[in-house]
Amino acid sequence: MTTPSDPASTGRLTLSRPVPDDIAALYAICSDPRVWWHFPSLRHTAPEQTAVMVGLWQRGWDDLGLGVWTVRRRDDGRVIGYGGASDLGGVAWNLGYRISADEQGKGFATELARAGLAAAHEADPDKPVIAYLLAHNEPSANVAKKIGLELVDSGPDAGNPDRSAVRLVYADRALTPAQLAAARR
């Protein structure tokens, strides 16, 4: 396993390991109902929730040398999201991408997802990369497809308060039963 460079950049984004100074900007994204229209119960209602999340991301970076990035626009340095590849039960990389509502629809999520996929492949090419999302979140599914992930599974979304919610699993390769179970968690 290798360690991708940090910070990373794309054509329009700077991707860096989260730090406590990022919490306020990340909370603004995590608490915005427009960002969580697809899963309202995950919206943060207190900055402490975001601080805990950032702490988990920092531990992921410490343990594996790769994790969720804070996403900034290169042109003005504003925090506009978070995402990247994080460990999924030691059997796969979980690819996530969340962009502030005001910056959605500009291709930033796809740019971030491509960088996360590349970093995961660099860090441990033997681990599959998985993006799991809710079926009604078509913008997220479109990002997964744009970067070459394929739909490998769908089914009930365990733990979702909406019992009718369906989870889709996209991956960069076929998954073993253990890898699929991690994605269904």
Side-chain angles (χ1 to χ4, degrees):
M1 183 161 91
T2 62
T3 302
S5 58
D6 178 44
S9 63
T10 67
R12 300 179 296 160
L13 304 173
T14 299
L15 310 170
S16 58
R17 183 179 172 154
V19 295
D21 286 347
D22 297 337
I23 292 171
L26 292 170
Y27 175 68
I29 295 165
C30 292
S31 63
D32 186 340
R34 298 174 300 161
V35 174
W36 290 103
W37 61 269
H38 64 287
F39 204 156
S41 64
L42 291 182
R43 185 174 65 84
H44 290 190
T45 56
E48 294 78 17
Q49 291 172 283
T50 308
V52 168
M53 183 178 72
V54 168
L56 292 171
W57 295 344
Q58 289 172 325
R59 281 192 286 290
W61 276 98
D62 290 343
D63 293 346
L64 297 171
L66 181 61
V68 175
W69 290 301
T70 296
V71 178
R72 290 178 173 77
R73 287 183 65 125
R74 286 182 69 183
D75 59 0
D76 62 14
R78 285 182 301 119
V79 172
I80 63 164
Y82 59 90
S86 58
D87 182 58
L88 188 58
V91 298
W93 293 110
N94 174 39
L95 184 65
Y97 32 91
R98 181 137 348 266
I99 301 295
S100 69
D102 294 336
E103 298 291 341
Q104 290 178 3
K106 300 176 184 176
F108 291 125
T110 301
E111 203 168 317
L112 167 60
R114 279 194 180 107
L117 180 65
H121 286 160
E122 181 183 340
D124 190 347
D126 294 330
K127 281 171 60 172
V129 178
I130 296 170
Y132 57 92
L133 50 110
L134 292 173
H136 66 277
N137 188 349
E138 291 179 29
S140 189
N142 288 337
V143 169
K145 291 180 226 177
K146 283 179 191 174
I147 66 164
L149 302 185
E150 294 187 17
L151 182 64
V152 297
D153 189 56
S154 66
D157 188 32
N160 192 320
D162 177 359
R163 293 199 176 280
S164 67
V166 174
R167 175 169 295 208
L168 304 179
V169 179
Y170 287 83
D172 65 344
R173 65 192 81 174
L175 302 177
T176 67
Q179 293 161 338
L180 194 52
R184 290 180 182 153
R185 65 177 168 104

